[in-house]
């Protein structure tokens, strides 16, 4: 972990996280979404965040060099809702680079991931915030999910076995919400771990930051 997090000790990193100001029920949440050629599912993904019951959010979107019309759709949405902050990248940064960049552009103490071809349940953010409010030892919380097809029809139930036993499988990355302080403490995503950057991040959040990672056993994604 040294190359990823520098020379700070695990105890120091944990102390930094716990020293952050307490959260409140109206906490601003930064929903971050890198986008690269996400049509035709982009509209549904954006709408699912704008329709969240937790209204105090900024929706930070990075257009990561799209060439399929996603840029134009995102401009449309940014004009429709002032909570959207759209940034357009001239070149594709890839999964790790775009994830680090979009988080760097956000401002809230809580970061909620969103994938551009998925859908969030309206209560997703509110339920995750409840967990982080009640349990300061938790640094990241994901949710159970259904697998749907291109028409939005469920084709597979949640993988409940992941909740029933310990495993090296990372929580569902797209549905994750985590504390910015924990993310910063471990150095964010690592470029050398592209395409398994989520697994690498969660392992470091647990091993170095010392925080618990939990999954809400309810389909919210």
């Amino acid at each position: 972990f040294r190359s990823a997090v520098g020379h700070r000790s695990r105890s120091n990193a944990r102390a930094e996280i716990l020293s952050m100001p307490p959260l409140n029920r109206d906490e601003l949440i930064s929903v971050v979404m890198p986008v690269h050629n996400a049509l035709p599912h982009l509209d549904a993904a954006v709408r699912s965040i704008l329709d969240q019951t937790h209204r105090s959010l900024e929706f930070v979107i990075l257009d990561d060099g799209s060439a399929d019309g996603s840029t134009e759709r995102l401009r449309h949405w940014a004009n429709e809702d002032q909570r959207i902050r759209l940034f357009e990248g001239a070149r594709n940064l890839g999964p790790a680079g775009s994830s680090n960049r979009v988080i760097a552009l956000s401002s809230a103490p809580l970061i909620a991931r969103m994938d551009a071809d998925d859908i969030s349940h309206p209560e997703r953010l509110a339920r995750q915030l409840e967990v982080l409010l009640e349990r300061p030892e938790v640094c990241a919380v994901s949710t159970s999910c259904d697998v749907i097809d291109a028409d939005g029809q469920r084709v597979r139930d949640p993988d409940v076995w992941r909740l029933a036993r310990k495993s090296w499988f990372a929580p569902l990355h797209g549905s994750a919400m985590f504390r910015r302080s924990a993310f910063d403490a471990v150095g964010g995503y690592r470029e050398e771990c592209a395409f398994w950057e989520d697994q690498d991040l969660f392992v470091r959040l647990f091993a170095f930051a010392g925080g618990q990672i939990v999954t809400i056993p309810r389909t919210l994604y």
Side-chain angles (χ1 to χ4, degrees):
F1 301 123
R2 182 170 296 173
S3 63
V5 299
H7 299 283
R8 286 177 298 170
S9 69
R10 170 175 171 166
S11 60
N12 286 342
R14 187 65 183 143
E16 289 179 18
I17 295 167
L18 293 176
S19 67
M20 300 299 292
L23 303 172
N24 62 76
R25 295 198 176 277
D26 295 321
E27 193 71 56
L28 178 69
I29 297 172
S30 292
V31 181
V32 298
M33 186 172 76
V35 177
H36 179 67
N37 295 342
L39 296 180
H41 308 296
L42 184 58
D43 285 347
V46 172
R47 172 55 64 191
S48 75
I49 295 300
L50 299 181
D51 287 345
Q52 290 291 301
T53 59
H54 183 85
R55 306 297 294 173
S56 180
L57 63 88
E58 62 168 6
F59 194 3
V60 185
I61 304 175
L62 173 65
D63 178 46
D64 192 30
S66 295
D68 69 336
S70 291
T71 307
E72 290 71 26
R73 289 305 301 163
L74 290 172
R75 290 171 181 169
H76 163 79
W77 281 111
N79 288 328
E80 291 290 315
D81 196 303
Q82 62 181 5
R83 293 174 297 172
I84 294 178
R85 298 174 56 212
L86 174 62
F87 299 88
E88 298 180 21
R91 63 183 182 89
N92 179 249
L93 301 177
S98 63
S99 294
N100 280 330
R101 178 61 177 156
V102 75
I103 290 174
L105 294 167
S106 67
S107 62
L110 295 179
I111 307 296
R113 286 283 318 202
M114 181 65 192
D115 285 346
D117 58 350
D118 292 340
I119 299 172
S120 287
H121 186 281
E123 294 186 356
R124 174 200 158 189
L125 298 183
R127 297 291 186 180
Q128 290 178 299
L129 176 58
E130 286 179 6
V131 173
L132 295 174
L133 281 169
E134 295 171 3
R135 299 183 57 181
E137 75 278 10
V138 172
C139 66
V141 53
S142 64
T143 81
S144 183
C145 74
D146 284 330
V147 179
I148 60 176
D149 61 19
D151 297 319
Q153 300 300 309
R154 187 171 65 181
V155 297
R156 197 178 79 207
D157 291 334
D159 292 332
V160 294
W161 63 268
R162 296 192 183 191
L163 307 181
R165 66 181 178 87
K166 293 180 180 179
S167 75
W168 282 102
F169 283 95
L172 182 67
H173 187 223
S175 75
M177 180 186 290
F178 45 83
R179 301 181 193 271
R180 176 186 293 277
S181 54
F183 179 84
D184 290 343
V186 301
Y189 296 96
R190 294 196 288 175
E191 294 280 359
E192 60 267 37
C193 302
F195 301 107
W196 56 284
E197 73 281 353
D198 54 343
Q199 180 93 348
D200 174 70
L201 175 65
F202 286 125
V203 168
R204 287 183 289 118
L205 285 174
F206 177 78
F208 187 82
Q212 292 188 15
I213 301 173
V214 302
T215 300
I216 298 173
R218 176 177 175 180
T219 302
L220 297 172
Y221 196 76

